[in-house]
């Protein structure tokens, strides 16, 4: 299982904290069971946000891409013959 990135942890944590605060303020919860339901819901929402964040692409192990620092000339394309090519006939 891949480890979460810093961005996934940050977005998930912010989602849990902010959604918990908003739900507690909007519901004006006074019972412990309602606070527990809000906390579990916020945690599930945070995990969902963190998991749907796209993961960075990884390069294949052992494969390196060589880049040239010097501009190399590009060869010109070879022009095609203007008409059909005919083979010489044997006489």
């Amino acid at each position: 299982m891949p480890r979460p990135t810093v961005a996934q942890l940050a977005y998930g944590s912010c989602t849990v904290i902010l959604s918990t605060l908003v739900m507690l303020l909007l519901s004006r919860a006074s019972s412990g069971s309602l606070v527990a339901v809000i906390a579990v819901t916020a945690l599930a929402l945070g995990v969902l946000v963190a998991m749907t964040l796209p993961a960075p692409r990884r390069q294949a192990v052992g494969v390196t891409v060589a880049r040239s620092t010097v501009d190399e000339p590009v060869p010109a394309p070879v022009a095609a013959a203007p008409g059909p090519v005919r083979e010489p006939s044997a006489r």
Side-chain angles (χ1 to χ4, degrees), residues 2-79:
R3 295 184 180 187
T5 63
V6 174
Q8 287 173 321
L9 291 174
Y11 278 115
S13 299
C14 290
T15 301
V16 169
I17 293 168
L18 292 177
S19 62
T20 302
L21 288 175
V22 167
M23 286 190 282
L24 285 173
L25 290 174
L26 290 177
S27 68
R28 297 182 183 167
S30 59
S31 67
S33 60
L34 186 57
V35 171
V37 168
I38 289 174
V40 170
T41 304
L43 184 61
L45 186 62
V47 169
L48 179 70
V49 167
M51 296 308 292
T52 57
L53 193 67
R57 294 183 182 181
R58 295 185 179 189
Q59 289 183 349
V61 177
V63 177
T64 58
V65 177
R67 292 187 178 182
S68 176
T69 56
V70 179
D71 291 334
E72 297 176 9
V74 178
V78 178

Side-chain angles (χ1 to χ4, degrees), residues 77-89:
V78 178
V85 178
R86 297 183 186 172
E87 293 186 20
S89 60

